[in-house]
Amino acid sequence: MKHARSALDEPLRDTRTLVIQLRDRIADLIRDEGLNPGDKLPTEAQLTARFKISRPALREALKLLEQDDIIYVEHGRGRFISAMSAVQVDRPITVFESVTDMARQYGYKPHNKVLSISEEAPEATVAKALHLKSGERVIRVERLRLENETPIMYCVDYVPRSIIPTRLYDIDWSGSLLSLLEQYKNRPRMSAASVAAVMLPDDVVARNDLRDFGPALLITETCFNAAGVPVNYAIDYHRGSHFTFSLVRK
Amino acid sequence: MKHARSALDEPLRDTRTLVIQLRDRIADLIRDEGLNPGDKLPTEAQLTARFKISRPALREALKLLEQDDIIYVEHGRGRFISAMSAVQVDRPITVFESVTDMARQYGYKPHNKVLSISEEAPEATVAKALHLKSGERVIRVERLRLENETPIMYCVDYVPRSIIPTRLYDIDWSGSLLSLLEQYKNRPRMSAASVAAVMLPDDVVARNDLRDFGPALLITETCFNAAGVPVNYAIDYHRGSHFTFSLVRK
């Protein structure tokens, strides 16, 4: 039986530069051929023949893979597959995505309960995170995410009022805030985040009957649009019993 | 007053390839000149003159910076500094380092209290993480890290017995396990980790009088040597009141 034409055989001609494409192709090859840590990478001659590229371009691509710890060099022996190719993690915490998408990846289809929406003068922490000028106001959205009847996240989001000037009650706050910000031309693209283990604040527990929530993974993050402007400050308590994030450390 | 000769002016001739060096130099330049998100990057002509490199090499380096979200392109207008340059985080959780070094970065100088050391048959989870063959044994080291008199971490480490064949009581287990593994030619270089918020296990609390520990940030990680062989399975409970990790998400 013949193999279907694989992505590896496609000509290299997308918009990224040759070296980056090559790096990705070689990484694909390592995965698709099931090469394991310690296995030898095909030789330069085999790779240049396979990808129909020059040796200098190949060497640049191999340097990138070496820098990413995908391969390592043993002088005189060749290039080998390193640990990083084995260190695959699903759903790394370092991927920026909406809470809605993140929860879905865990198999949850949470229902968003909006607890409160208000326009207010920001506290100092919020003003600083969002680079607000004196007098600028924010929208504060407080939500609980329930999986069936179980609360799995408690979230507070701040958005500069100037970004969403619409009347608050004209907006459906139960959906993805990321999508909403996209409608207002300010889709967050990345964030600076911190992670800690905490209990929910006492007043939140009391007001919302969350005594059984237990320890929470708190992710506090400032989200930036593509131009580097902070557009959302998010405080997300993930119920400890329901969320485990993965990551690669190197 | 003349500026001291900066790293930016050093000739490009270390062992990394030109494109990667250039990428790093330009990233240094963005930081050293205090360019902010939204600021325009110097032109290609200025950069080629400054770094004395060819335009094709420069363009490759700029592509890498674009791929890393350090700069972005507005067609017809040029290249600009993006959010990622502003999204600097200290001590990112994605940096692999010893617990000792990590704690030191938080300003702690914890004292390691060894609670137990044993050689044993591994539980299934441990055997799987360390890719152990049937019958292979592990060393289990259980330690408490105290800052002054306050417990700030509870750690359990597993190492394949074959890596450290020395008699257990001939080894000082109170130091860095990373350094110890390095002595045995198996320095961990990276890990696949998971992060969760939990309470300490009841038996650990009871045995060690840790009722006040509170919520813990649990990092469970399999650490690999440079050849991709797992050499350490670590279970680290970080006291929530004492640790906050940072990261960039994109």
Side-chain angles (χ1 to χ4, degrees), chain A residues 66-230:
Chain A
E66 195 187 336
Q67 213 204 11
D68 289 345
D69 278 328
I70 305 286
I71 63 173
Y72 63 99
V73 178
E74 288 202 4
H75 291 288
R77 292 193 56 227
R79 296 185 179 85
F80 296 83
I81 314 303
S82 79
M84 193 45 69
S85 67
V87 183
Q88 301 277 1
V89 304
D90 292 330
R91 318 292 330 146
I93 192 173
T94 48
V95 168
F96 182 72
E97 60 186 348
S98 73
V99 167
T100 308
D101 286 344
M102 181 276 295
R104 203 168 284 150
Q105 298 293 340
Y106 279 79
Y108 301 134
K109 290 178 185 164
H111 158 71
N112 261 345
K113 179 156 191 255
V114 179
L115 300 176
S116 72
I117 313 158
S118 55
E119 184 193 306
E120 56 187 47
E123 291 158 45
T125 320
V126 176
K128 189 172 172 222
L130 292 175
H131 301 181
L132 298 179
K133 294 194 192 74
S134 164
E136 276 196 85
R137 294 172 72 79
V138 291
I139 299 169
R140 178 181 189 274
V141 186
E142 184 193 19
R143 301 185 291 185
L144 199 58
R145 292 172 199 257
L146 298 136
E147 176 67 10
N148 302 321
E149 303 302 307
T150 307
I152 60 170
M153 289 184 73
Y154 168 76
C155 307
V156 179
D157 281 281
Y158 296 90
V159 176
R161 184 57 158 137
S162 55
I163 291 178
I164 303 184
T166 315
R167 288 186 306 206
L168 297 186
Y169 54 81
D170 282 345
I171 292 170
D172 174 11
W173 295 100
S174 67
S176 158
L177 190 61
L178 223 96
S179 304
L180 186 65
L181 283 165
E182 186 165 20
Q183 280 175 244
Y184 287 88
K185 312 285 180 219
N186 273 287
R187 183 185 175 79
R189 292 284 303 276
M190 63 194 75
S191 74
S194 71
V195 186
V198 299
M199 301 307 281
L200 282 180
D202 288 342
D203 63 317
V204 171
V205 169
R207 258 202 326 272
N208 299 289
D209 203 7
L210 293 169
R211 271 179 308 280
D212 300 330
F213 200 85
L217 193 75
L218 170 62
I219 300 186
T220 306
E221 60 184 344
T222 306
C223 308
F224 299 85
N225 68 14
V229 177

Side-chain angles (χ1 to χ4, degrees), chain A residues 93 191 193 195 245 247 249, chain B residues 23 93 191 193 195 245 247 249:
Chain A
I93 192 173
S191 74
V195 186
F245 290 96
L247 69 151
R249 309 175 93 184
Chain B
R23 179 196 61 186
I93 193 172
S191 74
V195 185
F245 290 97
L247 69 150
R249 311 175 91 182

Side-chain angles (χ1 to χ4, degrees), chain B residues 166-210:
Chain B
T166 315
R167 288 185 307 204
L168 297 187
Y169 54 82
D170 282 344
I171 292 171
D172 174 12
W173 295 99
S174 67
S176 158
L177 190 61
L178 223 96
S179 304
L180 186 66
L181 283 165
E182 186 164 21
Q183 280 174 242
Y184 288 88
K185 311 285 180 219
N186 273 288
R187 183 185 174 80
R189 293 284 303 277
M190 64 193 75
S191 74
S194 72
V195 185
V198 300
M199 301 307 281
L200 282 180
D202 288 341
D203 62 319
V204 172
V205 169
R207 259 202 325 272
N208 300 288
D209 203 7
L210 292 169

Side-chain angles (χ1 to χ4, degrees), chain A residues 34-54:
Chain A
L35 296 178
N36 290 314
D39 285 355
K40 200 162 188 298
L41 195 72
T43 63
E44 289 190 10
Q46 289 167 326
L47 291 169
T48 50
R50 168 148 203 171
F51 295 116
K52 300 180 182 57
I53 33 85
S54 72

